[in-house]
Amino acid sequence: MTLATEFHEPVRLAFIGGTGLYHLETLTPVAKLTISTPWGFPSSPITISKTKDGFPIAFLARHGPHHDLLPSDVPNRANIAALKKLGVNTIVAFSAVGSLQQHIKPRDFAVPNQVIDRTKGIRPSTFFERGFVAHAMFGEPFDPLLNKVISESCQEVLEGEGVKLHTKETEKDDLTLICMEGPAFSTRAESKLYRSWGGSLINMSCIPESKLAREAEIAYQMICMSTDYDAWNESEEPVTVETVVGNLSANSANAHRIAEKLVQVLEPKIKSGEIGLNYQHSMKFSVSTKKDGQDKRLLEKMHYLFPGYWPLQ
Ligand SMILES: CSC[C@H]1O[C@H](OP(=O)(O)O)[C@H](O)[C@@H]1O
Ligand SMILES: Nc1ncnc2[nH]cnc12
C-alpha cells in the first residue's frame, strides 16, 4: 500500500520505539511523514496509524529504522518538536534497560517514576537558549497520571505471559532509572555506585528525551524492558549487546501486546482530556527573560512549539 506523505488531522498519542522496537506490529500505517523542524529532522520518518475508530497514533524509531544513531546522537529536539507539531500531548517511550536490582530480572518490564541524569552534557537538552530563558519543572520527570494508567493496565497483559511488571506500587519506593551517556556500558564500580544511590534500572536514552517532552508540555512515560544485570552482579558476565538483543527479541512480543493494550486504554482517556493535559500551558509563565532582553529570532523558533505564546511586540 502506498502511504500518504501528509497528514492533516491532529495526532495526540505517540509511541517512541527504542532498541529492538523499530515499528509496532499491531498498528497498520496510513501515512509516513518526513518532518523538518527548526532543530533538524527526527531520527526516522514518523508513521501514522489509526484505530478502528479513526484515532491517529504516531510512531518514531529513536535510533532510526536501521538503528544507525548512537544514544548521544539521537536528535531529541527534532523528535519531540516534530511530535509536538503533529499535536501530540502524550508520549509512551519504550527502552531496553539494564537492571541494577537482583529482583528485577532480565525480561521483566518496569515503569520508572524517577531519573538520575548521568549524561555528560554533550547532548542538546533544552529548546531554550541565550536570549530566551525558561525553566521547566522536572521534580516528577514522568507524568504521574500516565504512569498510573500504564502501571495498572500493563499488569494484566504481562501477568498472562508470566512476566513481572515493576512499578512504584510493587516496589513500594521510587523506581529510579539512571540515564548514562554510553555508548560503552558502565564499569562494575559505576554500576555499584548507582546501586548505592538507589538506582533500579539503567539506560542511555531517557535524558534529554523526557526533559524535552516536559518543555514541550507533553505527558511522557518511559516503559523499560529489562535485558541484563549491567555490570554490578559479580556472579554474571558484565552486559554485552548480545545479551541485550537476545532478551529483547524474546520479549518484543510483550512490547507489542503492551502497545496494543495502551492504545485501547489511552484513546478514550486522551479524548476526554483525562490524560495528556497535565502540562498544558505550563511553559507560558516559566520564562525568565524580560521583554527587552528577548531575542526576536528565537521567539519565532519558539512559536513552532508554542504558537500563540509570548507575542512578538
Ligand atoms: C543496545 S544496548 C544499549 C542501548 O539500548 C538502549 O536503547 P533504547 O533506550 O533506545 O531502547 C539503551 O538506552 C542504549 O541506547
Ligand atoms: N546495562 C545497560 N546499560 C545501559 N543501557 C542499557 N540498555 C540495556 N542494557 C543496558
Side-chain angles (χ1 to χ4, degrees):
M1 190 176 86
T2 326
L3 296 177
T5 53
E6 291 186 15
F7 193 80
H8 297 292
E9 299 162 43
V11 184
R12 300 293 181 222
L13 174 61
F15 288 94
I16 298 180
T19 298
L21 203 66
Y22 306 104
H23 67 281
L24 285 178
E25 274 166 13
T26 46
L27 299 174
T28 310
V30 294
K32 189 173 178 179
L33 312 176
T34 300
I35 300 177
S36 172
T37 80
W39 295 275
F41 286 93
S43 308
S44 72
I46 296 176
T47 52
I48 309 292
S49 312
K50 279 188 167 189
T51 63
K52 63 177 175 10
D53 296 324
F55 181 70
I57 297 149
F59 179 85
L60 171 66
R62 181 183 293 124
H63 301 280
H66 308 293
H67 201 137
D68 59 352
L69 291 167
L70 283 164
S72 312
D73 291 338
V74 172
N76 288 291
R77 292 187 298 184
N79 289 353
I80 299 296
L83 294 176
K84 174 79 177 180
K85 197 65 183 168
L86 289 173
V88 167
N89 65 18
T90 305
I91 295 178
V92 177
F94 284 94
S95 173
V97 306
S99 166
L100 297 171
Q101 300 296 333
Q102 188 72 52
H103 72 284
I104 305 179
K105 298 191 172 59
R107 304 194 186 183
D108 283 359
F109 277 63
V111 188
N113 69 305
Q114 277 299 326
V115 179
I116 295 178
D117 181 0
R118 281 280 301 166
T119 62
K120 307 275 183 190
I122 60 173
R123 306 177 181 192
S125 62
T126 176
F127 289 112
F128 301 102
E129 37 185 307
R130 184 174 185 165
F132 199 76
V133 175
H135 303 275
M137 56 173 190
F138 203 53
E140 292 291 346
F142 303 106
D143 175 20
L145 299 178
L146 187 57
N147 181 296
K148 189 161 185 287
V149 171
I150 292 177
S151 298
E152 285 171 2
S153 42
C154 294
Q155 198 80 53
E156 64 180 71
V157 177
L158 294 175
E159 254 164 32
E161 303 302 317
V163 172
K164 183 132 180 50
L165 177 74
H166 302 266
T167 67
K168 186 174 186 299
E169 283 66 38
T170 64
E171 304 303 292
K172 315 231 177 343
D173 201 352
D174 285 331
L175 194 47
T176 301
L177 171 64
I178 310 279
C179 182
M180 61 173 292
E181 187 63 56
F185 293 112
S186 307
T187 64
R188 191 167 67 244
E190 287 164 340
S191 197
K192 287 182 171 176
L193 176 70
Y194 303 147
R195 273 165 59 79
S196 77
W197 289 351
S200 313
L201 311 158
I202 183 161
N203 77 354
M204 304 176 191
S205 58
C206 186
I207 300 287
E209 192 174 87
S210 53
K211 220 173 241 187
L212 291 162
R214 178 61 53 81
E215 285 189 353
E217 302 179 346
I218 297 172
Y220 175 99
Q221 177 65 54
M222 184 162 258
I223 300 182
C224 297
M225 302 179 280
S226 160
T227 52
D228 53 85
Y229 275 126
D230 200 40
W232 61 272
N233 190 338
E234 292 183 48
S235 61
E236 305 249 341
E237 280 297 302
V239 53
T240 63
V241 167
E242 215 180 341
T243 320
V244 171
V245 173
N247 280 324
L248 260 188
S249 44
N251 229 6
S252 73
N254 284 329
H256 294 294
R257 279 188 198 100
I258 283 185
E260 190 178 22
K261 173 76 176 183
L262 287 177
V263 168
Q264 284 166 17
V265 172
L266 289 173
E267 176 175 348
K269 291 189 190 297
I270 291 172
K271 281 180 176 164
S272 70
E274 189 184 329
I275 290 291
L277 303 183
N278 222 4
Y279 302 100
Q280 198 184 28
H281 305 318
S282 60
M283 295 312 293
K284 205 170 195 168
F285 306 102
S286 305
V287 177
S288 300
T289 313
K290 298 197 175 70
K291 272 250 164 303
D292 286 349
Q294 291 177 359
D295 178 335
K296 300 292 171 285
R297 185 190 50 86
L298 275 183
L299 259 178
E300 278 169 33
K301 206 168 159 188
M302 289 303 146
H303 286 158
Y304 182 89
L305 292 172
F306 307 107
Y309 282 18
W310 318 303
L312 274 166
Q313 63 284 327

